[in-house]
Amino acid sequence: MTTAIPRADRRVSPVFLALVAILAVSGWAVWSGTLAASTGFAVFLFVTAAWVVSLCLHEYAHARTALHGGDITVGAKGYLTLNPFVYSHALLSIVLPVLFVVMGGIGLPGGAVFIERGRIRGRWKHSMISAAGPLTNALFAAVVSAPFWLHALDGIPDPFRYALAFLALLQVTAAILNFLPVPGLDGFGVLEPWLSDRVRRQVAPYAPFGMLAVFGLLWVPEVNQVFFELVHTVLRGLGVPAWDTYWGQEFFRFWQGEPQVPQLVGTGTA
């Protein structure tokens, strides 16, 4: 279903354009080594800006799919402008995800756009609205890891390669976590339309705590190990080695000092 949305309701926000500008400038700084005295700070800006941009695209994907599914209110709510400040839960969608990246290198999912589900008809449409966000993270992971799986790393400076690898890790963690069939996460949203009304009523009270429960479990060493083994299995499939993601995170944590990457024997890569 296509509807006419006023131009102002779908014009790209200056806030999002500013984020893209920060992403471009910091990416150039990492690539060129302009901030050689603080490459880590440039990597931090580049990865953080790219991560927030991906969060905006994640929520935009939900909203755009909902629009075509029948919820014409998403335009008036500002969800089509890619402005992170219009989300109904800015803390969950922007602040906490960035904080978790800083703390543990985990791509925190956060549901932020309010979809008026009563306007949408059809189980498949409801499922696709929920799936659109994590699918965007999966696509983002494929894009930023393209130099790896295309074997096109020649000429790419090491810090930039490490930054891309860490960014790919964040996108893979976000996609996997979002697709978990846990109440409150997108994965459950994909399944929910196919459940009986009785089951949905029983599960609804737990939805606000689903994400907290997942991240509580991730602090359990055994669960954390299994989760990151899955993440790195996906990354290996994309051609991204654990070496690169590790040093990407080390550069990202610029406040710990500039990392000294050891020389790989026999490769000529620092």
Side-chain angles (χ1 to χ4, degrees):
M1 178 179 178
T2 305
T3 58
I5 299 295
R7 185 179 298 272
D9 291 342
R10 51 189 170 85
R11 182 180 297 121
V12 177
S13 164
V15 176
F16 183 78
L17 294 177
L19 285 170
V20 172
I22 294 172
L23 171 62
V25 172
S26 58
W28 172 79
V30 176
W31 182 286
S32 65
T34 302
L35 300 178
S38 184
T39 302
F41 182 64
V43 169
F44 174 81
L45 286 180
F46 174 67
V47 172
T48 301
W51 175 235
V52 177
V53 165
S54 76
L55 292 174
C56 293
L57 293 173
H58 175 113
E59 304 303 345
Y60 175 85
H62 282 311
R64 190 76 193 188
T65 310
L67 172 66
H68 291 285
D71 183 4
I72 61 174
T73 69
V74 294
K77 293 170 184 171
Y79 295 156
L80 302 178
T81 67
L82 293 162
N83 184 351
F85 295 120
V86 303
Y87 301 144
S88 56
H89 297 291
L91 176 65
L92 289 178
S93 296
I94 302 297
V95 179
L96 282 183
V98 171
L99 182 61
F100 268 82
V101 168
V102 171
M103 291 174 57
I106 298 175
L108 174 72
V113 296
F114 177 71
I115 305 299
E116 296 191 13
R117 295 281 183 168
R119 295 175 176 269
I120 298 163
R121 298 290 181 267
R123 292 177 177 180
W124 281 108
K125 289 181 180 179
H126 285 281
S127 293
M128 284 307 302
I129 290 168
S130 295
L135 285 175
T136 300
N137 290 114
L139 178 60
F140 208 102
V143 170
V144 298
S145 64
F148 296 91
W149 52 265
L150 288 175
H151 306 290
L153 293 170
D154 290 346
I156 296 181
D158 287 348
F160 191 84
R161 189 181 81 226
Y162 299 150
L164 287 181
F166 182 49
L167 187 55
L169 180 144
L170 295 179
Q171 297 302 324
V172 170
T173 60
I176 292 175
L177 289 173
N178 265 294
F179 268 128
L180 291 177
V182 175
L185 298 180
D186 289 329
F188 183 78
V190 174
L191 297 176
E192 188 176 14
W194 307 91
L195 302 176
S196 67
D197 291 339
R198 180 178 61 83
V199 172
R200 280 184 279 180
R201 285 195 301 268
Q202 290 175 337
V203 170
Y206 302 101
F209 310 105
M211 185 171 64
L212 293 177
V214 168
F215 279 92
L217 286 173
L218 283 176
W219 288 106
V220 177
E222 293 79 7
V223 176
N224 186 277
Q225 180 179 353
V226 171
F227 173 71
F228 275 101
E229 283 178 356
L230 174 59
V231 169
H232 284 290
T233 297
V234 174
L235 288 172
R236 283 195 297 272
L238 292 171
V240 181
W243 170 274
D244 287 32
T245 58
Y246 173 81
W247 288 110
Q249 187 169 13
E250 289 298 298
F251 273 102
F252 177 83
R253 294 172 171 170
F254 71 93
W255 55 89
Q256 296 179 351
E258 202 77 4
Q260 300 300 314
V261 184
Q263 183 80 20
L264 287 179
V265 178
T267 65
T269 301

